[in-house]
Amino acid sequence: MTVRFGFREAEFQPDGFYLNGRKIKLLGLNRHQSYPYVGYAMPKRAQHRDADVLKEELGLNMVRTSHYPQSRHFLDRCDEIGLLVFEEIPGWQHIGGEAWKEQAVRDVEDMIIRDRNHPSIVIWGVRINESQDDHDLYTRTNELARKLDPTRATGGVRYIVGSELLEDVYTINDFVHDGGHKKYLAKEIRNFDTYDDTEGVDGETTGLRQPSLVTKLDYPVPYLVTEYNGHMYPTKRFDQEERVMEHALRHTRVQNASYADEGIAGAIGWCAFDYNTHADFGSGDKICYHGVMDMFRLPKFAASVYRSQKNVEQEIVMEPVTYWSRGERNIGGIVPLVVFTNCDEVEFIYGDERKGVYRPNREKYPALPHPPVVIDELTGHWGMKWEDAVFIGYVDGQEVIRKYYSRNPVPTELRVAADDMVLEAGDWDVTRVVVDALDEYGNALPFYADPVSVEVEGVGELIGPSSLSLIGGRIAFWIRTKGEAGNIRVKVSAPSRFGSQELSIHVQ
């Protein structure tokens, strides 16, 4: 048996997190390893792909395996690409009897023995997520973790303030930021209360609480925020424009607060991907719309908050938060128009008129490496002609990216693309296929919801239904192999507008 391992130095200090002696701010999201139609049952390629999405597409440097140890394939890929991991034992809020506690201790042992060879893991979660204090139980889990692996810090995720700190890092789910909604509810309903204690803090203006207000200690300790947003503002990828904008801005405000406080090692948002759940927790379709991507790994606008923090050498990012429609927002219009970007400045052209050049809003978001641009003026009223738009991004005075938006978009192209064109026979393999309905400028059509049908022939099969509806102009599905070599033919048909597109995927 061969086991890979690696070396690095990872330290949580009261003034932040240090990797190989260099201080970095942790920028992360939580991950459920859940997929449509199959739950957690996805093989190596899909697990690797998720790690790549988090690190390469979103630009994160950390992921939390909420709330259980996850696939070894996912951890292997995190090792390979340098995505740091907070891994924790399974559980959520509940602490059971003595037999249950013994199992929790065994879970700590099993997790560490299985995964301590992974250099990507920098902290062990040895407390049941969001559980109450239990001195005896969590003394045992911390002692065991330190015995099995004295090289890594321990953490224990809670939502309560003044919690007993037995771990090396005070890890907290901080849902203080609410955009002012708690103040509204407190005025409108009787006996208003929430399960998390944020009393006395203005959730409209506060992104994250100061560590000392949460720990209640009179000295600084290593401190990491392990969840925020999530259930505070569930948002569908296809929601109304003002909601998807506010969803993105809430992530922006919290990350700005994290970067601004040297006493916070970083913040891990809830969460990366939407996921299936139960009737007691999610939306009416039993889906938690808490992700910055949907469950098909298609991005919401909030994903651009994270992408735009990349260096321009990694990727040029310029994402206006708009469907470019006159009447989508309340009262009409599109301002304030937020543009998530890592460009130095953005030029905005409306019709034939150059409206101006706008720079990142460092007054409102001074701590972010790349604050968004906010365009706050565009005159026009109902009945006036709506125009095309052009956004141009500049770096060091040079144009680096340009995007066009149509005043009256026309369905023009059905794009069908697989993540992988070559799969492996033997053990089952999978790839995702993304279907986009595009306008004349290559933008997804956000109000396009026509049906498509999927046919699969050859040495593969479709995961899920063969009749799908585009959601916000997009949808995705997975194809799996059958163990044989050969070819898989995938045909996607949208007869109402586009006809058919075909792909051939080789299995070797």
Side-chain angles (χ1 to χ4, degrees):
M1 180 178 180
T2 300
V3 176
R4 296 192 308 178
F5 62 94
F7 298 95
R8 85 286 173 276
E9 183 180 54
E11 291 186 284
F12 288 88
Q13 299 290 347
D15 67 337
F17 174 76
Y18 292 81
L19 181 65
N20 296 325
R22 182 171 66 90
K23 185 175 180 179
I24 64 172
K25 183 67 74 169
L26 295 175
L27 176 71
L29 291 167
N30 286 264
R31 178 203 186 225
H32 271 307
Q33 60 177 22
S34 173
Y35 297 83
Y37 311 116
V38 295
Y40 293 7
M42 274 296 208
K44 177 180 177 179
R45 188 182 301 272
Q47 302 290 341
H48 279 201
R49 173 71 181 173
D50 265 11
D52 290 340
V53 167
L54 296 172
K55 178 68 184 290
E56 307 301 339
E57 184 172 342
L58 294 180
L60 308 180
N61 58 26
M62 191 168 205
V63 60
R64 175 174 168 230
T65 64
S66 50
H67 306 289
Y68 40 83
Q70 297 188 0
S71 167
R72 68 184 188 277
H73 299 306
F74 178 73
L75 297 176
D76 285 342
R77 187 58 176 163
C78 291
D79 291 342
E80 292 168 359
I81 63 178
L83 180 61
L84 304 175
V85 178
F86 181 147
E87 186 170 55
E88 64 185 347
I89 57 175
W92 186 48
Q93 296 186 345
H94 174 73
I95 297 178
E98 289 307 312
W100 190 99
K101 292 179 182 179
E102 290 298 323
Q103 182 60 56
V105 174
R106 287 195 294 273
D107 287 341
V108 172
E109 181 175 13
D110 291 345
M111 174 180 70
I112 294 177
I113 289 176
R114 190 194 76 156
D115 292 336
R116 60 188 171 186
N117 64 293
H118 290 283
S120 58
I121 297 173
V122 295
I123 182 171
W124 299 117
V126 298
R127 175 182 176 128
I128 302 301
N129 176 64
E130 292 191 342
S131 61
Q132 298 295 310
D133 287 344
D134 187 316
H135 177 82
D136 292 343
L137 172 61
Y138 294 136
T139 295
R140 289 182 64 193
T141 60
N142 276 277
E143 288 177 349
L144 178 60
R146 291 172 182 134
K147 177 182 177 181
L148 293 171
D149 182 9
T151 70
R152 288 181 175 90
T154 61
V157 175
R158 70 268 283 160
Y159 66 87
I160 51 178
V161 301
S163 172
E164 182 182 22
L165 180 60
L166 298 170
E167 300 82 21
D168 300 310
V169 184
Y170 198 109
T171 46
I172 180 73
N173 293 346
D174 190 349
F175 293 107
V176 65
H177 183 57
D178 61 18
H181 194 59
K182 284 184 181 177
K183 288 192 289 188
Y184 162 76
L185 291 178
K187 291 188 296 183
E188 296 295 327
I189 64 178
R190 297 181 182 181
N191 302 319
F192 171 72
D193 192 19
T194 62
Y195 79 93
D196 50 341
D197 180 13
T198 58
E199 186 177 355
V201 181
D202 186 345
E204 183 173 11
T205 59
T206 303
L208 293 171
R209 289 170 286 184
Q210 294 178 0
S212 61
L213 295 178
V214 175
T215 67
K216 302 298 184 182
L217 299 172
D218 58 5
Y219 55 91
V221 296
Y223 186 92
L224 176 65
V225 175
T226 41
E227 292 181 31
Y228 58 85
N229 209 30
H231 70 283
M232 304 295 289
Y233 207 74
T235 302
K236 303 173 182 65
R237 181 170 57 81
F238 50 93
D239 268 338
Q240 191 254 10
E241 186 171 301
E242 283 166 308
R243 187 168 190 91
V244 296
M245 180 179 70
E246 174 62 16
H247 180 234
L249 287 175
R250 291 193 182 199
H251 282 267
T252 307
R253 296 176 197 125
V254 173
Q255 281 298 330
N256 182 69
S258 172
Y259 275 93
D261 194 328
E262 293 295 324
I264 299 177
I268 307 171
W270 190 267
C271 59
F273 314 122
D274 294 343
Y275 54 96
N276 291 114
T277 186
H278 49 85
D280 297 329
F281 193 67
S283 189
D285 52 5
K286 299 182 178 63
I287 295 174
C288 271
Y289 292 100
H290 297 177
V292 303
M293 292 179 149
D294 69 12
M295 65 172 64
F296 298 97
R297 282 55 176 167
L298 300 175
K300 305 173 188 179
F301 282 113
S304 297
V305 177
Y306 298 89
R307 283 182 58 225
S308 62
Q309 303 314 307
K310 296 180 184 179
N311 295 325
V312 291
E313 292 78 16
Q314 297 173 276
E315 181 188 7
I316 301 295
V317 179
M318 185 184 67
E319 191 66 50
V321 182
T322 182
Y323 303 141
W324 199 252
S325 174
R326 164 78 85 184
E328 171 67 7
R329 297 194 187 189
N330 296 333
I331 311 178
I334 60 159
V335 291
L337 175 54
V338 177
V339 183
F340 290 107
T341 185
N342 54 5
C343 294
D344 296 335
E345 52 192 19
V346 172
E347 183 178 4
F348 174 41
I349 300 171
Y350 177 70
D352 296 326
E353 183 181 358
R354 182 178 183 270
K355 304 301 292 187
V357 176
Y358 300 83
R359 299 186 63 82
N361 191 335
R362 296 196 177 277
E363 181 178 351
K364 184 172 284 189
Y365 308 103
L368 276 181
H370 299 287
V373 166
V374 180
I375 298 171
D376 57 4
E377 183 180 8
L378 179 63
T379 57
H381 304 284
W382 283 104
M384 295 180 64
K385 184 181 178 183
W386 188 237
E387 300 282 4
D388 285 4
V390 184
F391 297 87
I392 307 171
Y394 295 88
V395 174
D396 295 330
Q398 301 297 313
E399 179 181 334
V400 293
I401 188 170
R402 178 181 290 238
K403 287 192 173 184
Y404 296 87
Y405 289 82
S406 174
R407 63 176 294 273
N408 187 24
V410 177
T412 303
E413 177 189 358
L414 184 71
R415 184 176 64 194
V416 180
D419 290 337
D420 309 276
M421 298 304 292
V422 179
L423 300 179
E424 299 294 327
D427 290 343
W428 72 295
D429 200 357
V430 297
T431 191
R432 183 187 65 158
V433 179
V434 178
V435 181
D436 286 291
L438 305 178
D439 69 11
E440 64 268 38
Y441 289 141
N443 299 317
L445 291 157
F447 305 105
Y448 192 86
D450 280 16
V452 298
S453 62
V454 182
E455 300 173 52
V456 179
E457 297 178 352
V459 297
E461 60 187 9
L462 174 66
I463 297 176
S466 59
S467 294
L468 307 169
S469 290
L470 297 176
I471 302 172
R474 311 190 75 189
I475 197 61
F477 55 86
W478 277 265
I479 298 294
R480 61 167 293 171
T481 60
K482 297 179 179 179
E484 311 165 55
N487 292 303
I488 304 171
R489 185 178 74 90
V490 181
K491 180 180 180 181
V492 179
S493 301
S496 63
R497 296 272 187 163
F498 296 109
S500 301
Q501 294 286 337
E502 294 189 11
L503 292 176
S504 181
I505 300 170
H506 182 61
V507 181
Q508 62 186 16

